Amino acid sequence: MTASQAPLVVVGDALLDHDLCGRAERLAPDAPVPVVHGTRRSSRPGGAALAACLAAADGRPVTLVTALGADAASDTLRELLAGRVGLVEVPLEGSLSSKTRVLAGDRPLLRLDDGEGRAREATQEAVSTIAAAGGVLVADYGRGTADVLRDALTHTAAVIVWDPHVRGRPPVPGVRLATPSAQEARAFARQLDDAEPGDAAGLRTAARDARALVRAWRAQAVAVTLGERGALLSHGETPLLVPTPAAATGDPCGAGDRFAAAAAGLLADGALTEAAVQAAVHAATRYVAEGGARAVAVPEQPEGAEEAPGDGDTTADAVRTAARVRAAGGTVVAAGGCFDLLHAGHVALLQAARRAGDCLIVCVNSDDSVRRRKGDGRPLVPAADRVRVLRALECVDAVAVFDEDTPERILGELRPHIWAKGGDYARTRLPEQPLVESWGGQVLLLPYLDGRSTTGLARRAALSPAPTGGDPR
């Protein structure tokens, strides 16, 4: 944390989110629905809890004021928040709301919702926390936390950023910035007697809605988030369009929380509204490009499972490593190959790749993948042994095994900042290059030691004369 980063209080409705991520390559024979296989389950804070974790990842102290109960989902969320943010609880009536998404790659296929709990009442600790705050982000998901604390939010002297939800109430008067999405701004504007008709996807409609909401809410400014187009900032007159710095593909879940958390933190630091919105657009773009909410997710193991052994399936560990390094602001580097008969050329490449970032994840072809690429005589060393040797190298942080002909699927899960390849690819456009560049990643070529190859080693070994006599070992 730098000296300029002020503490932030996040007030709002926490959720518990689960993701079931897998691959969908065919339809079920009994119904026209995709079959998702190879799923991995992860859990993460959602709603106001996600916003709080994202603000904390910026390096500032964060306190979350939210409603939690005695149910299992509340207990799980407490565990996920431990060590990340301070927690001030108000009582929850019912069970904590949770969402389970089923995804094929980055594409959501289905969402299951459970729990309809609502905040029951304010507490003195929550009121005092808001009164003492210098900066407050209200992440209102329409489940009552902002309602029971509305009086405290109305009377605090803190800089307030209010991220509204159509199921909730409008912001309290005088907030520094409100951050509805275009659809939310359209829904709130329709509730006004003088609202004009319009399409939520249009800039003209967003500008009219923002102007109307500035006046109706008595907000100092409204920033309507526009997804891949950026945000439209209005103080009630001519709006300012803040475009995204680059196109970012990926899972946008939580991008609005990332935007609001970044803007709230910067405004608490004393930034001008225009500068805070511009930085928040950049932060949200990076968030989507680097994997979105998966950066704060915690992969789950089956009940009773232990840590994977050195020769076991390590892909989940690789995804977890990438998420942890990315969340800490580090650079994720990945390199790939068969790595059959590990030799000096491989080691030199991996050592150079590790120096390019803060972690190195090696993507290794499975035995079937090697066989399709190299022929029936390969691999010479099975995948479990190749993984164990690679993990023993000091420069390697994690290993992921992929079964396809190219590593594009596993790269989509890891989303490395750098994809490192040997210099022998210098005149070749790699098939995975467009994918890596789609989230702002960089393909990096590294020097390759001449005269080293698995094929050459195997040929020389086959031509070596057999020993005559002596110790057969």
Side-chain angles (χ1 to χ4, degrees):
M1 184 186 71
T2 65
S4 62
Q5 287 183 298
L8 186 68
V9 173
V10 178
V11 178
D13 307 300
L15 311 173
L16 177 62
D17 288 346
H18 307 286
D19 284 342
L20 279 170
C21 301
R23 304 190 301 276
E25 298 165 345
R26 61 188 176 91
L27 295 178
D30 55 343
V33 295
V35 175
V36 181
H37 62 100
T39 56
R40 287 193 294 275
R41 182 183 177 93
S42 63
S43 297
R44 54 183 166 80
L50 174 60
C53 289
L54 294 172
D58 290 335
R60 68 180 69 251
V62 174
T63 300
L64 172 63
V65 179
T66 193
L68 293 176
D71 56 295
S74 293
D75 290 340
T76 299
L77 185 58
R78 290 186 184 97
E79 294 175 4
L80 292 174
L81 294 174
R84 293 185 175 186
V85 300
L87 188 59
V88 174
E89 298 184 22
V90 300
L92 180 74
E93 188 74 39
S95 59
L96 185 71
S97 296
S98 64
K99 300 181 299 181
T100 300
R101 298 191 306 164
V102 180
L103 301 98
D106 285 333
R107 185 181 298 277
L109 301 179
L110 177 69
R111 196 181 96 180
L112 307 174
D113 287 11
D114 294 294
E116 290 292 337
R118 292 186 61 85
R120 186 171 70 238
E121 60 188 2
T123 64
Q124 186 56 52
E125 183 183 12
V127 171
S128 299
T129 299
I130 295 170
V136 172
L137 167 61
V138 178
D140 183 8
Y141 277 77
R143 290 168 172 82
T145 303
D147 293 342
V148 300
L149 292 167
R150 193 171 184 87
D151 187 64
L153 292 166
T154 300
H155 293 97
T156 184
V159 172
I160 298 180
V161 172
W162 196 292
D163 194 16
H165 192 285
V166 291
R167 293 177 57 179
R169 296 172 62 186
V172 300
V175 299
R176 177 71 65 85
L177 181 68
T179 61
S181 68
Q183 291 75 17
E184 290 164 343
R186 184 88 286 261
F188 279 114
R190 287 196 192 101
Q191 299 172 12
L192 306 177
D193 291 338
D194 58 347
E196 300 179 49
D199 177 7
L203 287 176
R204 291 180 60 189
T205 300
R208 288 199 305 266
D209 292 344
R211 181 173 63 248
L213 295 177
V214 166
R215 296 169 181 171
W217 291 347
R218 287 182 281 166
Q220 295 185 34
V222 169
V224 178
T225 55
L226 303 170
E228 62 186 14
R229 287 183 294 174
L232 194 73
L233 174 63
S234 175
H235 293 277
E237 299 299 335
T238 304
L240 171 69
L241 178 63
V242 181
T244 56
T249 60
D251 182 4
C253 179
D257 296 298
R258 172 70 277 194
F259 176 89
L266 290 166
L267 289 174
D269 293 340
L272 296 175
T273 303
E274 288 79 2
V277 169
Q278 183 175 25
V281 167
H282 284 236
T285 303
R286 288 195 305 273
Y287 169 86
V288 173
E290 294 179 355
R294 296 185 193 181
V296 296
V298 177
E300 297 178 5
Q301 292 179 318
E303 189 172 342
E306 299 179 355
E307 287 295 318
D311 57 352
D313 179 8
T314 58
T315 300
D317 177 61
V319 173
R320 183 165 53 246
T321 297
R324 183 179 67 250
V325 172
R326 185 182 297 109
T331 298
V332 178
V333 182
C338 301
F339 297 101
D340 201 6
L341 290 184
L342 191 71
H343 55 70
H346 292 143
V347 174
L349 173 69
L350 296 176
Q351 289 173 331
R354 180 60 177 84
R355 289 192 291 269
D358 299 291
C359 78
L360 172 62
I361 298 172
V362 181
C363 303
V364 179
N365 295 76
S366 71
D367 291 346
D368 287 341
S369 178
V370 175
R371 199 169 294 114
R372 290 194 299 270
R373 290 187 58 193
K374 305 287 187 177
D376 290 339
R378 301 283 294 275
L380 301 171
V381 179
D385 289 351
R386 288 184 281 132
V387 168
R388 175 168 283 189
V389 171
L390 285 165
R391 293 187 74 194
L393 296 178
E394 185 177 359
C395 59
V396 175
D397 296 279
V399 180
V401 179
F402 63 95
D403 195 48
E404 298 80 10
D405 292 336
T406 69
E408 291 172 278
R409 179 190 59 80
I410 190 64
L411 285 176
E413 296 187 46
L414 297 171
R415 288 181 174 258
H417 300 92
I418 295 173
W419 174 236
K421 297 294 289 184
D424 50 334
Y425 286 91
R427 298 182 183 275
T428 305
R429 182 167 177 83
L430 300 171
E432 60 269 24
Q433 185 167 346
L435 175 68
V436 174
E437 292 175 348
S438 72
W439 59 71
Q442 173 68 51
V443 174
L444 185 67
L445 297 180
L446 298 171
Y448 196 83
L449 294 179
D450 290 335
R452 278 82 169 179
S453 75
T454 298
T455 301
L457 284 174
R459 184 180 298 116
R460 288 195 296 274
L463 294 176
S464 298
T468 57
D471 190 340
R473 292 176 296 174

